[in-house]
Amino acid sequence: MNHIQANATITAGAYRQLIAVCQAGLPHEACGVLACSMDEDIATVSACPVDSLLPVNRIHTIRNVAAAAAHSFQFHPQDWIDTLYLMQKNRQSLVGLFHSHPGSLPIPSAADHAGISFSATMSYWIISLINPQSPIVQPYRYCSSDQSFRPLMLAQIGI
């Protein structure tokens, strides 16, 4: 049985960037990768509680090439490859994936359940933009034993 982490942590700067990326993507879903750069933010990593995932301190946007981009997302294949290469080159760890819901709550949809293979070490963040001026951010952890998304508590590190 996998231990499900209770917390997801993000730096204030990464949080602002995440919201800006999602708002800029309207009316379509924005998507991308959440990363942790250990070399540049050692204090941030040290501040991360033991029961948390690595803190998100880097946001990498990936173009959404879904045919119905207002209601779904699909990573641009070359952007995905380029992002993984860039992260490896810059000694960043993959923490999770994100996408926005322009017109719905941050609840995983049937497409979210079917669309991506999840690792036990990754989180899955949905940003609701029902009200673009007051986004709702909800991180999840996928539990393979019952094929469900479990909500994580969101914590920010102010820098």
Side-chain angles (χ1 to χ4, degrees):
M1 181 173 175
N2 292 340
H3 172 44
I4 303 299
Q5 303 293 343
N7 296 319
T9 308
I10 187 168
T11 63
Y15 183 86
R16 286 190 299 273
Q17 184 182 3
L18 177 64
I19 298 303
V21 162
C22 291
Q23 289 170 331
L26 288 170
H28 300 120
E29 289 192 7
C31 56
V33 173
L34 306 163
C36 177
S37 174
M38 301 238 231
D39 290 343
E40 297 176 28
D41 277 310
I42 298 301
T44 300
V45 175
S46 303
C48 185
V50 173
D51 65 341
S52 295
L53 299 164
L54 286 172
V56 174
N57 57 20
R58 298 290 181 267
I59 307 296
H60 297 281
T61 305
I62 297 178
R63 285 179 286 172
N64 181 357
V65 295
H71 307 289
S72 61
F73 76 96
Q74 179 180 354
F75 283 174
H76 184 283
Q78 191 61 53
D79 285 4
W80 177 228
I81 292 167
D82 292 346
T83 298
L84 291 175
Y85 175 76
L86 177 71
M87 289 172 55
Q88 183 178 26
K89 179 180 167 187
N90 291 314
R91 300 175 46 96
Q92 296 174 3
S93 296
L94 178 63
V95 176
L97 309 175
F98 76 88
H99 79 282
S100 61
H101 281 184
S104 64
L105 293 173
I107 299 170
S109 66
D112 294 328
H113 281 276
I116 297 177
S117 297
F118 293 92
S119 163
T121 61
M122 287 187 359
S123 56
Y124 188 69
W125 298 47
I126 302 175
I127 298 82
S128 171
L129 297 170
I130 289 177
N131 178 353
Q133 303 311 315
S134 296
I136 303 168
V137 177
Q138 180 59 62
Y140 293 90
R141 171 64 64 79
Y142 185 73
C143 182
S144 59
S145 64
D146 63 359
Q147 299 180 335
S148 68
F149 287 93
R150 305 267 173 95
L152 298 171
M153 177 147 356
L154 179 61
Q156 279 185 290
I157 299 172
I159 293 180

